[in-house]
Amino acid sequence: MIFWEEMSCAASESEDGMLSNNQIESPLGEEGNYGGSENGGVALKKGPWTSAEDAILIEYVKKHGEGNWNAVQKHSGLFRCGKSCRLRWANHLRPNLKKGAFTQEEEQLIIQLHATMGNKWAQMAAHLPGRTDNEIKNYWNTRIKRHQRAGLPLYPPEVSLQAMQESQRCLNTDRIESEHKSQHDTLLSKNYGIPNVMFDNLKANQSILPYVPELRDITASSMLMKGLSSSQYGSFMSSIMHRQKRLREATTLLSSFSGGMKNEFHLFDQFHDVNKAAQSFGLPFPFDPDSTTKNPEFFGKNQGSHTLANGNFSASKPTAEAVKLELPSLQYSETDLGGWGPSCSRSPLIKSVDTFIHSPPTGTVESDCPSPRNSGLLDALLHEAKALSSAKNQLSDKSSNSSTVTPGDYADSFALNICETEWEDYGHPISPLGHTATSLFSECTPISANESSLDESPSAETFTGSKRKFGCSAEASVKSEPVDQIWSADRENESSTWLDITFPDALLDSDWLEHDSACGKGQVIVNDAMATLLGDDLGNECKQMAAGASVSHGWGHSSCSWNSMPAVYQMYELP
DNA sequence: AAAGTTTTCAACCGCATGCTC
DNA sequence: TGAGCATGCGGTTGAAAACTT
């Protein structure tokens, strides 16, 4: 049987004559030029509501109350399906609706709620009187995403920590109660408002992931990492934004978050128990937090070298006003969980992961710790763990073989190793953390502050407009973004010769560039597809070059052939 | 000023859930 | 018990607005 609503709402919109029919039959169809569907011969309007329709709906609700939305059309003559009426009422017409932009308090609440709930917009809306789930959803999908693009993490550290602690609590509770009940029952009985997603499939696959500690069934309260894997955010956000706009936006964003910056120097204090925090995400321990907490220079210098780092950490004391730059686009990792605001440290998790990876792993990876529930995060951690494992091997290997690493420069060398490891471990240029090869390059090749400028490098526009002209995806339209001034402020005294190498994701995407993991370095292979796209000459040139260039992750680091790459591949090289 | 691009957000869609008969 | 139905939810879409070049 076909539902009335389905009949009315799901009917084909492309039926010929529908529009005219609708216009004729609906007395409110003066603006109803969006076509509609039919319900028993009655055309139902779709599209934006008119004020007249609103008035009718309001009148109807006054008389009959909310609910029974499918009867609206019958009783009021409103040619709208029940669904549409309900939505209109709930989102726009019902009383006590708050209009206008979210307040800062609301924004923070949304962030906190999302950290624990994930995309449970309706539940979140229940905590925000006068706000609708749609509003919150839109807010998150736009403004928060914008924050991400600006290099700001999805959640402030305190929220991340809070969510992790909650996760830990849930786990502990679960651990205890699981002796008596199944976890499912436990969670239900305790009425956790946390998605109870099991990673049974991952557990099942544990045998093929030997480096992963036992995967416990844990709650998905670690949805704070939602952004890590959400398809919505999983794709790398290319930096095709106009620069001026981005500058303006960054300033606005940073200013808007200035309120949260007052805690910036206490962030590390919050992470005293980083072991525990990271443990909750299944990270192996022990690891030495000193390398970061006690050596900010090291941290700062290397944070940009790891995929998990968003590159906007700074131990300096920036001001929002000082920030006129956006982060390099390649730091716009969707997985950024780094510093909240321009000067914040990264989330405990990321910091932990980062610290761990930056620190030579010691001992066997043994952990009974649960892993995050979110599949994306889990995958990310698995990959990171794998990368870590490789890094461990690479470290010794590189120390003796790499000609690009100065043995004495531990920070650099290790960062390099890590990056190379990641590069070679990720068969696909887009890591499970949402990092593209581009971001890897970028993060592995931070730029020094004195080399950064508000002005784009002259050659930065090499790829501008290449989205179409070059026949590539949007990611091909990569501009070299100015680096984060805050982040780089710490590096003013560094005599870094690092280059800010950006690389169009499109060119790195998929099979275009392949990494030869067998060679032990991040050798780039320009395959035929890429050559075809680029044209024979360019492609072949590139292939030839790449064939002989062990560029590793850091074309700018090493004396590889990057500089001799075709200009189309080069974004710019700082002096 | 105009064209092109990006962002915003209202509305739609499909699916899930729960209630009723 | 299962079909029918109403409602709710989350993801997605697309027109309009805003912005950039």
Side-chain angles (χ1 to χ4, degrees):
Chain A
M1 179 177 177
I2 301 175
F3 299 160
W4 183 90
E5 180 179 305
E6 295 302 320
M7 290 174 61
S8 61
C9 290
S12 170
E13 300 172 32
S14 60
E15 292 177 76
D16 294 335
M18 180 64 67
L19 180 60
S20 58
N21 187 32
N22 177 43
Q23 298 281 22
I24 292 170
E25 292 198 29
S26 173
L28 304 169
E30 66 276 4
E31 297 174 36
N33 56 349
Y34 289 83
S37 55
E38 280 191 61
N39 174 36
V42 178
L44 294 173
K45 193 183 160 194
K46 295 169 72 175
W49 281 62
T50 65
S51 53
E53 289 174 313
D54 285 345
I56 291 177
L57 183 57
I58 291 170
E59 192 63 26
Y60 172 84
V61 174
K62 275 183 185 174
K63 280 184 182 176
H64 302 91
E66 297 182 42
N68 202 12
W69 297 109
N70 284 334
V72 175
Q73 186 257 329
K74 298 171 188 171
H75 295 143
S76 67
L78 192 57
F79 294 94
R80 292 277 184 173
C81 72
K83 256 186 178 180
S84 186
C85 292
R86 186 187 67 81
L87 204 66
R88 182 66 184 176
W89 175 259
N91 287 346
H92 299 281
L93 302 180
R94 69 181 164 91
N96 303 324
L97 269 181
K98 266 190 201 171
K99 297 290 183 183
F102 284 99
T103 65
Q104 198 158 1
E105 290 75 21
E106 287 176 321
E107 290 178 359
Q108 289 175 356
L109 183 55
I110 290 171
I111 292 166
Q112 286 180 347
L113 291 171
H114 192 274
T116 54
M117 292 178 180
N119 293 359
K120 299 298 178 185
W121 312 119
Q123 290 179 35
M124 293 166 72
H127 291 79
L128 290 157
R131 299 296 188 179
T132 69
D133 54 351
N134 211 33
E135 263 184 304
I136 297 170
K137 181 170 57 183
N138 283 335
Y139 168 79
W140 187 262
N141 289 342
T142 57
R143 291 174 179 82
I144 292 299
K145 227 157 69 173
R146 191 171 58 190
H147 292 180
Q148 287 186 291
R149 277 199 303 273
L152 297 169
L154 208 53
Y155 305 102
E158 56 269 24
V159 172
S160 300
L161 184 64
Q162 191 178 346
M164 277 194 294
Q165 286 171 341
E166 184 180 340
S167 173
Q168 191 71 29
R169 275 200 307 274
C170 293
L171 290 170
N172 292 336
T173 304
D174 174 49
R175 207 168 293 171
I176 294 170
E177 298 196 359
S178 62
E179 297 174 6
H180 310 287
K181 296 180 177 183
S182 70
Q183 184 199 46
H184 180 71
D185 290 342
T186 299
L187 291 173
L188 285 179
S189 64
K190 296 184 77 64
N191 195 28
Y192 287 135
I194 299 171
N196 185 22
V197 181
M198 300 301 174
F199 282 81
D200 294 336
N201 56 334
L202 287 170
K203 291 188 71 175
N205 292 331
Q206 202 172 336
S207 59
I208 62 173
L209 299 170
Y211 49 87
V212 180
E214 179 190 358
L215 295 172
R216 299 175 58 88
D217 284 341
I218 61 175
T219 71
S221 60
S222 54
M223 292 293 285
L224 68 92
M225 304 297 289
K226 182 85 177 177
L228 281 173
S229 63
S230 167
S231 61
Q232 195 172 356
Y233 307 127
S235 62
F236 181 75
M237 302 298 293
S238 65
S239 59
I240 56 178
M241 216 167 151
H242 294 296
R243 188 163 66 98
Q244 289 86 339
K245 185 171 186 177
R246 299 179 66 157
L247 294 175
R248 173 173 42 79
E249 179 181 276
T251 305
T252 304
L253 288 172
L254 293 169
S255 298
S256 70
F257 280 103
S258 60
M261 292 167 59
K262 60 180 178 290
N263 296 324
E264 63 195 50
F265 299 109
H266 306 297
L267 292 174
F268 283 131
D269 296 338
Q270 300 174 21
F271 304 149
H272 277 162
D273 198 359
V274 285
N275 283 12
K276 182 180 176 183
Q279 252 183 328
S280 67
F281 286 90
L283 299 174
F285 285 91
F287 77 90
D288 179 19
D290 288 357
S291 61
T292 55
T293 59
K294 295 178 181 176
N295 193 349
E297 182 182 350
F298 172 83
F299 184 32
K301 188 171 185 175
N302 284 279
Q303 53 81 27
S305 68
H306 188 265
T307 57
L308 283 173
N310 75 342
N312 62 354
F313 166 79
S314 173
S316 65
K317 190 174 182 179
T319 61
E321 291 76 18
V323 179
K324 294 296 182 185
L325 288 172
E326 281 222 6
L327 293 168
S329 63
L330 301 175
Q331 296 177 354
Y332 295 175
S333 168
E334 295 307 309
T335 66
D336 272 346
L337 288 170
W340 183 255
S343 63
C344 296
S345 75
R346 292 160 295 176
S347 71
L349 167 67
I350 295 309
K351 182 185 171 184
S352 301
V353 173
D354 211 21
T355 302
F356 173 69
I357 293 178
H358 281 186
S359 305
T362 58
T364 310
V365 176
E366 280 184 21
S367 175
D368 193 35
C369 303
S371 296
R373 304 303 310 280
N374 185 287
S375 60
L377 174 58
L378 186 57
D379 288 346
L381 288 174
L382 300 187
H383 281 75
E384 291 296 338
K386 188 179 177 185
L388 174 62
S389 176
S390 298
K392 186 180 177 181
N393 297 330
Q394 293 264 328
L395 182 58
S396 57
D397 184 44
K398 296 287 182 181
S399 61
S400 59
N401 296 333
S402 175
S403 61
T404 63
V405 175
T406 302
D409 191 348
Y410 171 78
D412 283 351
S413 64
F414 198 80
L416 180 58
N417 277 288
I418 293 299
C419 291
E420 288 181 356
T421 299
E422 290 166 346
W423 174 244
E424 68 180 283
D425 274 324
Y426 295 142
H428 192 281
I430 299 177
S431 83
L433 283 170
H435 287 71
T436 65
T438 309
S439 63
L440 289 179
F441 286 124
S442 174
E443 289 162 351
C444 291
T445 58
I447 187 171
S448 62
N450 54 357
E451 290 168 340
S452 67
S453 166
L454 273 167
D455 299 321
E456 288 184 85
S457 173
S459 57
E461 296 296 327
T462 302
F463 271 95
T464 302
S466 60
K467 175 180 178 180
R468 288 180 177 80
K469 294 173 185 173
F470 194 59
C472 297
S473 63
E475 284 75 14
S477 180
V478 173
K479 291 181 182 178
S480 295
E481 297 295 331
V483 298
D484 177 20
Q485 218 168 37
I486 293 305
W487 173 75
S488 57
D490 289 334
R491 300 181 171 78
E492 285 182 358
N493 296 327
E494 293 179 13
S495 57
S496 171
T497 56
W498 292 345
L499 305 175
D500 190 14
I501 300 296
T502 58
F503 199 83
D505 287 359
L507 294 180
L508 293 169
D509 195 20
S510 187
D511 296 324
W512 290 29
L513 294 180
E514 296 170 350
H515 175 260
D516 184 2
S517 59
C519 72
K521 287 188 177 182
Q523 185 171 13
V524 172
I525 298 172
V526 180
N527 65 17
D528 292 335
M530 185 175 177
T532 301
L533 180 70
L534 296 175
D536 288 339
D537 293 341
L538 187 57
N540 288 335
E541 183 185 354
C542 202
K543 287 178 71 174
Q544 291 169 7
M545 214 162 21
S550 293
V551 293
S552 78
H553 71 286
W555 280 317
H557 279 280
S558 62
S559 56
C560 69
S561 302
W562 171 253
N563 289 336
S564 59
M565 292 285 273
V568 69
Y569 288 143
Q570 292 182 283
M571 295 310 294
Y572 63 85
E573 178 180 354
L574 293 168

